[in-house]
Amino acid sequence: MSTTTTPTGRVLHATGETPAGIPTSHARLRAWVEDVAHLCEPDQIYWCDGSDEEWERLTDQLVEAGTLVRLNPAKKPNSFWARTDPSDVARVEKRTFICSRREADAGPTNNWMNPRQMKDTMTELYRGSMHGRTMYVVPFCMGPLEAENPLYGVEITDSAYVAVSMRIMTRMGQAVLDGLGSDGDFVPCLHSVGAPLEPGEQDVPWPCDDTKYISHFPETREIWSYGSGYGGNSLLGKKCYSLRIASAIARDEGWLAEHMLILKLISPEQHVHYIAAAFPSACGKTNLAMLEPTLPGWKVETLGDDIAWMRFGPDGRLYAQNPEYGLFGVAPGTGWKTNPNAMRTIERGNSVFTNVALTDDGDVWWEGYSDQSPAHLTDWKGRDWTPGNGEPAAHPNSRFCTPLPQCPIVAPEFDDPRGVPVSALFFGGRRATTVPLVTQARDWTHGVFLASTLSSEQTAAAEGKVGVVRRDPMAMLPFIGYNAGDYFDHWINIGKHHDNARLPQIFYVNWFRRDEDGSFLWPGFGENGRVLKWAIDRIEGRADARGTPIGYVPAPGSLDLSGLTIDDDAVEELVRVDEEEWRAEVPGIAEWFETIGDTVPAALWGELDGLRNRLGQR
Ligand code: GTP
Ligand code: SPV
Ligand code: MN
C-alpha cells in the first residue's frame, strides 16, 4: 500500500486493497486525485474496484454509521433502507448551474455563472470539506464497456452511499481503470456532501450542507457538486454527465442525449419495434419502460427507463442506447397492479431504497405498494406511522435503486454497444386538459415543434410547487446543458441532414387528462400498450387518423379498445382537440419562444404560424 502526505501532514492511504498501490498508471487521473485530496483533506483515499467484497464492506460500514438499515433478507435480500436529511430529498434546480464562458451559451432556461467565478467560490467550499471522511475514487463508464468509444467518468466523493449507488447505476470499478489505460479521456466529477468532521465531532446518518451547488462546465467537460447527497445531485454519471454534459457533446458530434426510456415492443406476429419516450420527471417513464400490455399477444421488454443516447447508424436509422446500468425509480405508485415488473426486479434484492417507509418485519412500503398499508410503519422521517395519520409514510420522491440486468423483462440486447433502431419517439407530459391521449406529428419539424412546447404539471422530483404547469421542452428543461434555442436548432438539423423516411415518427401523448370530477379519463399503465399499438399501426399504414390543427389523432375505432371497459364519452373526450382551448394555448407558446429569444429556429416560429392559421387566428 502506497501513501502520500498532504501539506497538513495527514497520511493518505492511497488505496484500500490493491497491494501494488494506486490501481492505475493514468498520470492525469492520479494528479487530479492528488490535487483534490490536497484541497479537500480527507482522512483517506479509497479507489473503488467494483467487487462484491467491496460492496459488502461499504454497505456494512454504512449500516454501522446509521446511513443504511439492512432489510430482512427473506423479504429483500442484500438490500438497504436509507433516510436522507428531510431537506435533501430532490434535485435542486435553483442551485444547478451551467458554467459556460459566455452567458448566452447557457441560455435563459439555465442558471449561469462564469466558470472562473464558480470555481473560485466552490474551491473555498471544498477546502477541508472532507475532514474526517474517506474520499472515494469511483471510476465509471456510461454505456457498455465494449463500446467503440466508451464514455468514461471518474467521480470523487466523500459519500459511501454515492459509491455503492454508483455501483448499481453504472458500470463501475477496476474494468473502467483498465479501459482508461494510461491516458484515456474521462469526465472528472467532484462531489462532496460538504460536512467536514472535526476531531471528536460525531457524524450524522445523512451529512449534507444547506449551501448547495450542482455545477457543470460544458466546455471543459467537468462536474462539481457540493452540499447534497440526493441521487440526481450526487450520482454524477446520471443527469449531470449523461444529460447535461452529454447533450453538449452530442450537439458538437451530431447525436442526441435525451431524457428518454427505451422499450422493445413485440407484436403477436413477433414483429419488433423499438420506441424511445420522453416524459418529465415522475411522469411515467419507468412505468412505460416495464409495461405489461393488456392487449393479448403483445409484449414489452425494457432497455432503459430514464436516459437514451441516440446516434445514427450506417443504415441511416437512429440507434438508441441506455448509458445507465441501474434503475433509480420513483417508489410511490409502484405496485403489483401498476408495475409488476418493477416489483419483481426489486424482489430480487441488491437494492437501496431511499426515503420509503420501513415495515416492522424489515421490508419496505410506500403509498401504492399494496392496497392496504400495514398497521404500523416507520415513516421516511424515522417516526412511528399508523394509517390515517394524515401524512404519507414515504416521501413522494422516494426512490428504489436497483440493477437493470435483474429486471425479468430486460431485453437481451440492452447491453449491445450498437444500440437499437428506433421506430418512434414519444413525448408526453401531465396535463389535466387540452392535450389529447395521442397525437401524431405530421413530420419531423412538426414533431420537434410539439416536443419543444411540451408542458407538464410539476412533480415532487424537484423542489418547487407541485401541480404548476410549466413548459418542459423534450422533458429536458432541467437537463439541457446549453442554450435551449440552440438545442431546438440541433433537433431541427437532425431532421435536415438525415433521410426523413428513416427517421423515427414523432408522437405526443398525455396519460393524465381528467374529467370534470378530476378523475383520470384514461386507465394508463398496462393499457398504454393500446397507444403503442396505434403508433405502430400508423407507421405501418394500418390505422386511420383524423387530421386536426395540432396533428393526427386516432380516428373513431382505430384505437384498439377490445376488452377494455371505458365509456364512449370518455374515449371521445380523450382524443378531442378543443380548438378554443388550443387558441388559448397559443399565446403561451409564443411567450415561451420569446423567453428563449433569438436562438429559437425560424422553423419553429413557422410551425407556430401554421398552428395559428389552422386555428383560424389569422
Ligand atoms: P423519473 O424517474 O423522475 O424521471 O420519473 P419517471 O418518468 O420514470 O416516472 P414513473 O414511471 O416513475 O412514474 C411516476 C408516477 O407516475 C408514479 O406515481 C406512477 O404511478 C405514475 N404513472 C406512471 N404511469 C402512469 C399512467 O399511465 N397513468 C397514471 N395515471 N399515472 C401513471
Ligand atoms: C428525475 O428527477 O428525472 C430522476 C431522478 O430521474 S434524479 O436522478 O434525481 O434526477
Ligand atoms: Mn428522470
Side-chain angles (χ1 to χ4, degrees):
M1 183 183 294
S2 74
T3 59
T4 55
T5 307
T6 66
T8 55
R10 238 177 269 267
V11 174
L12 303 181
H13 299 270
T15 174
E17 297 300 294
T18 9
I22 300 175
T24 175
S25 61
H26 197 297
R28 205 155 29 90
L29 171 56
R30 290 173 64 136
W32 175 60
V33 169
E34 191 128 325
D35 285 350
V36 173
H38 279 94
L39 176 64
C40 300
E41 300 178 340
D43 275 7
Q44 32 169 0
I45 304 176
Y46 176 79
W47 291 74
C48 289
D49 61 20
S51 64
D52 288 345
E53 188 278 328
E54 173 180 280
W55 165 273
E56 300 278 327
R57 194 155 21 88
L58 294 185
T59 52
D60 280 350
Q61 277 172 26
L62 283 161
V63 169
E64 180 80 16
T67 310
L68 297 184
V69 169
R70 186 179 284 278
L71 296 172
N72 181 347
K75 306 280 181 188
K76 300 281 185 295
N78 190 29
S79 295
F80 301 88
W81 179 57
R83 292 193 296 114
T84 71
D85 185 283
S87 69
D88 196 21
V89 294
R91 283 182 293 101
V92 283
E93 295 181 3
K94 285 199 196 73
R95 306 300 305 161
T96 301
F97 294 83
I98 300 298
C99 305
S100 43
R101 279 187 290 269
R102 294 181 343 132
E103 182 169 7
D105 290 337
T109 61
N110 284 308
N111 303 308
W112 175 84
M113 204 193 279
N114 170 285
R116 195 60 270 153
Q117 193 187 340
M118 178 61 86
K119 285 195 171 172
D120 286 349
T121 304
M122 291 188 74
T123 296
E124 289 321 304
L125 290 169
Y126 284 129
R127 197 177 299 287
S129 72
M130 298 186 184
H131 282 178
R133 301 192 182 281
T134 298
M135 181 174 117
Y136 299 89
V137 182
V138 186
F140 63 93
C141 182
M142 300 316 297
L145 284 158
E146 305 74 36
E148 215 174 297
N149 294 303
L151 289 185
Y152 296 117
V154 179
E155 177 161 354
I156 293 181
T157 175
D158 54 7
S159 161
Y161 169 90
V162 168
V164 300
S165 302
M166 285 294 284
R167 188 193 187 228
I168 299 174
M169 295 305 298
T170 69
R171 285 100 173 155
M172 183 275 256
Q174 188 60 44
V176 175
L177 292 179
D178 297 343
L180 270 170
S182 59
D183 65 352
D185 258 346
F186 66 95
V187 172
C189 307
L190 175 52
H191 171 250
S192 172
V193 294
L197 287 170
E198 297 317 331
E201 193 177 337
Q202 185 60 42
D203 202 0
V204 292
W206 190 269
C208 60
D209 192 20
D210 289 340
T211 302
K212 293 176 173 49
Y213 283 95
I214 320 299
S215 303
H216 307 73
F217 305 90
E219 284 127 357
T220 50
R221 293 174 185 163
E222 295 168 279
I223 301 160
W224 286 19
S225 166
Y226 179 91
S228 169
Y230 168 77
N233 305 325
S234 70
L235 310 179
L236 302 185
K238 196 173 177 51
K239 297 299 165 55
C240 300
Y241 185 156
S242 295
L243 289 178
R244 297 195 191 95
I245 295 294
S247 64
I249 300 177
R251 169 205 52 195
D252 296 346
E253 297 180 354
W255 50 281
L256 295 163
E258 298 298 324
H259 193 201
M260 289 181 174
L261 67 95
I262 310 165
L263 66 80
K264 177 183 182 182
L265 181 66
I266 309 164
S267 74
E269 298 78 34
Q270 304 304 306
H271 293 163
V272 168
H273 281 282
Y274 298 98
I275 295 176
F279 310 142
S281 301
C283 292
K285 288 182 301 300
T286 302
N287 278 274
L288 191 68
M290 295 190 185
L291 172 97
E292 275 192 352
T294 48
L295 281 174
W298 290 77
K299 238 180 83 181
V300 161
E301 291 178 355
T302 310
L303 291 103
D305 82 322
D306 200 49
I307 301 178
W309 286 352
M310 296 183 287
R311 297 178 171 90
F312 285 93
D315 60 356
R317 294 192 70 188
L318 196 55
Y319 283 72
Q321 168 110 78
N322 172 16
E324 302 192 279
Y325 203 60
L327 311 166
F328 188 67
V330 179
T334 307
W336 288 102
K337 286 201 189 116
T338 56
N339 193 348
N341 289 311
M343 298 301 275
R344 291 181 194 113
T345 310
I346 62 176
E347 261 192 343
R348 297 182 175 178
N350 315 311
S351 304
V352 176
F353 299 86
T354 302
N355 288 338
V356 304
L358 180 71
T359 68
D360 293 348
D361 57 358
D363 201 354
V364 289
W365 196 84
W366 49 73
E367 281 64 29
Y369 188 97
S370 54
D371 285 341
Q372 268 225 300
S373 70
H376 176 264
L377 291 165
T378 307
D379 77 1
W380 73 277
K381 289 183 174 169
R383 303 169 304 189
D384 282 322
W385 185 95
T386 47
N389 87 342
E391 278 183 58
H395 186 275
N397 192 40
S398 54
R399 299 266 165 175
F400 54 82
C401 180
T402 197
L404 172 61
Q406 74 184 34
C407 173
I409 59 160
V410 71
E413 62 274 42
F414 89 94
D415 211 12
D416 188 330
R418 288 169 303 185
V420 294
V422 187
S423 303
L425 297 177
F426 278 39
F427 293 93
R430 231 175 233 276
R431 286 292 303 265
T433 65
T434 319
V435 180
L437 178 65
V438 55
T439 310
Q440 182 185 19
R442 287 190 310 277
D443 55 30
W444 181 264
T445 305
H446 180 232
V448 174
F449 170 74
L450 293 178
S452 72
T453 65
L454 189 74
S455 55
S456 195
E457 294 149 19
Q458 280 212 160
T459 67
E463 94 296 10
K465 195 162 155 40
V466 170
V468 175
V469 174
R470 69 169 184 183
R471 297 283 155 193
D472 191 345
M474 286 78 172
M476 281 285 282
L477 180 70
F479 309 122
I480 302 169
Y482 57 103
N483 182 297
D486 293 340
Y487 169 77
F488 295 162
D489 199 42
H490 180 54
W491 266 92
I492 296 281
N493 281 330
I494 293 271
K496 274 196 204 140
H497 299 305
H498 293 89
D499 176 359
N500 261 277
R502 288 170 193 271
L503 285 171
Q505 291 278 321
I506 297 178
F507 297 83
Y508 189 21
V509 299
N510 177 22
W511 315 142
F512 300 94
R513 202 165 186 173
R514 294 179 192 254
D515 65 14
E516 277 150 14
D517 307 328
S519 312
F520 291 122
L521 283 159
W522 180 246
F525 303 102
E527 307 298 354
N528 293 336
R530 300 172 189 276
V531 176
L532 300 182
K533 174 175 186 243
W534 186 79
I536 297 310
D537 284 346
R538 285 295 296 162
I539 290 171
E540 297 188 339
R542 277 189 303 268
D544 288 334
R546 191 164 59 79
T548 79
I550 61 162
Y552 298 106
V553 301
S558 68
L559 198 59
D560 186 344
L561 299 172
S562 53
L564 179 65
T565 321
I566 184 168
D567 45 82
D568 294 346
D569 290 354
V571 177
E572 203 174 302
E573 179 60 19
L574 275 163
V575 299
R576 191 169 65 91
V577 175
D578 184 319
E579 298 201 5
E580 203 50 57
E581 280 178 345
W582 277 95
R583 278 190 285 271
E585 194 82 4
V586 163
I589 297 174
E591 200 181 307
W592 163 237
F593 284 173
E594 264 150 26
T595 311
I596 297 174
D598 295 348
T599 50
V600 172
L604 294 187
W605 281 110
E607 287 293 336
L608 181 57
D609 281 342
L611 175 62
R612 278 187 179 129
N613 284 335
R614 290 189 297 275
L615 290 167
Q617 283 188 317
R618 280 281 151 79

